Each structure stands twice: as structure tokens, then as C-alpha cells.
Amino acid sequence: MDRNEGYYAQSLRILRKNKMAITCLFIILFLIVISILAPVIAPFDPDKQNLSERLLSPGGAHLFGTDEFGRDILSRCIYGCRISLSVGIVSQIIATTIGYALGVSAGYFGKKADMIISFFIQVFSSIPFLLFAMALMFVLGHGMINLYISLGVLSWAGTAKLIRANVLQLRNQEYIFSSRLDGASDFHIIMKHLLPNCIPTLIITITLGIPSAILSEASLSFLGLGVQSPTASWGSMIASSQTYIRTNTYYSIFPGLCIIITVMAFHIIGDGLRDALDPKMRR
């Protein structure tokens, strides 16, 4: 335990020195606060239509302007942040749970379990992700729950591959043999000894997986297979703005900037965590 505490304390010191990562961490925290307080922060009801104020330019009461139905774009961007973050976080929790369970099973039990699970890892890794997600959403139908399930079920392969590699290195350690000699069950060894050593890998995969899920949600919503109108989503807002991209460019710029800033922030903090937590990257 002391060794783990020292490891994480050193990792925290390394992360603090990465000013860009810390800045992006504050951006992510800011986005989370906005998502939670969306009903309080948003100046207008994101779904309320007012055709007399349709396609207004940014300024005045509508800082980001209005869309073709007179809905406030700033309010819809704020609520869209809630959708994107929830999809990214929930889908990665699902993917990480599946990936850890299968990865640790393949690495710890080996033989037939490893062969079967590795086969499925290769299959899921080779299939075009967005195409598979489109097909799954078409089968399951629209809805947030189906979106969580689709992106989570299709995103586990990368995590499973990394966890399998970690467990293959750990399963022959002396403390694992000692636990077996003491009569510890496989479940006890997996949860007590292997999981703590896999936490750095899980943190990195979750942090880098969230922006991928956000982009996938935006892509599916853009194609009409994700979040459905009138629910505010950055991807669906960009899709709706195509007709007005020449006359009302701001309509597509603001949700596009939201996607870019969010995805870049998660990627940079993910890279920072990888540098801080990975001993090889430290050297």
C-alpha cells in the first residue's frame, strides 16, 4: 500500500508540472459544472421555438444567435454538453467494465480462454467502428440508453488488449504465487492484486476513450442515428445548420467549437495522465 501511495504521489507531482494538462483539467471540470447546472445557467429553454426570432445573428439577448426555429443556440450548446459528456462517460464505464473482465480473464486464465477472447478482440478491432455503431443503432433504435449500450459494447477491445498484456506480466509475480499457496481464490487475486495494478491503464483508457465516444455520438447524431430532435446535441445542431452554412455560418461554428474544445481537452489530459502514470514514459 505504501508503495502504491508513493507511486501515485509521484505521478501527481509529474502531472502538476504539465501546465497544459492542468489547464485542460480545469476546462473539463468547467464543462462538467455547466452540464450539471444547465437548467440554471442556460438563458432560455433549449427546445422553445420562437419563429419571430429565427436565424438571429449573435448578440443581444442571444449571445450565440438563434436557429431556424428561433431556439437559442447558446442554451442548446449548454444542454448539448450534458448529452456529450454523459454519452462519453457512461459508454466508457460500460466499455471499461467489459474490457477489464475479458482482458483479465484472457491474461490470467490463459489457454482456451485467452485464445477465444483474443479472437474476439481481433474481430472487434478490425471492424470499422462507426459503421458497426450505425448498424447497431439501426437495429436497437433511437434513444440515449441504446446509444450508451452501442458505444460501450463496441469500445471494449482496446481496453481488453491492454489489460491482457498487463496481466500476462503480473500473473507470474511472487505475490501472486504466495496468494495461491495461501488458498486465495481466483476472484480474490483478480480484485485484490491485479485490479490495483491495472488502475493506471484503466484511467488512461477511460480518459482517451471519452473523446472518441463524444465524436462517435456527434457523428451518429449528425447522420440522424443518435440523439433525436428536439433534444439538443452538438452533432444534430451541425447537421441542421448545413442548409444555412453560407448565410448563417455562426450556426455551425459554435457547436463545432464545443466539440473541438471538449475533445482536445480530454486528449491532452489523457496524454498528461499517460506521461505521469506510465513508468516507461517517465524515463
Side-chain angles (χ1 to χ4, degrees), residues 34-107:
I34 285 178
S35 299
I36 295 173
L37 300 178
V40 178
I41 296 175
F44 296 93
D45 183 343
D47 301 329
K48 185 177 181 180
Q49 300 183 13
N50 186 354
L51 297 179
S52 63
E53 296 184 344
R54 63 189 300 270
L55 297 174
L56 293 180
S57 298
H62 302 281
L63 294 179
F64 286 6
T66 60
D67 63 9
E68 71 274 26
F69 296 109
R71 297 174 297 193
D72 183 63
I73 292 178
L74 173 58
S75 300
R76 292 183 65 77
C77 283
I78 291 173
Y79 275 83
C81 181
R82 171 182 285 187
I83 295 293
S84 294
L85 289 182
S86 67
V87 169
I89 293 171
V90 174
S91 66
Q92 285 308 299
I93 290 174
I94 296 173
T96 301
T97 303
I98 298 173
Y100 176 76
L102 294 179
V104 77
S105 298

Side-chain angles (χ1 to χ4, degrees), residues 132-154 220 225-226:
F132 205 177
M134 290 170 58
L136 194 55
M137 283 299 296
F138 181 79
V139 172
L140 295 177
H142 304 301
M144 291 298 297
I145 301 298
N146 292 338
L147 194 57
Y148 296 150
I149 294 173
S150 298
L151 297 181
V153 168
L154 299 178
L220 290 171
L225 294 172

Side-chain angles (χ1 to χ4, degrees), residues 7 165-166 169 274-283:
Y7 170 80
N166 279 6
Q169 295 177 343
R274 182 187 59 191
D275 296 343
L277 294 170
D278 191 342
K280 295 180 181 178
M281 295 300 294
R282 290 179 182 182
R283 291 196 292 268

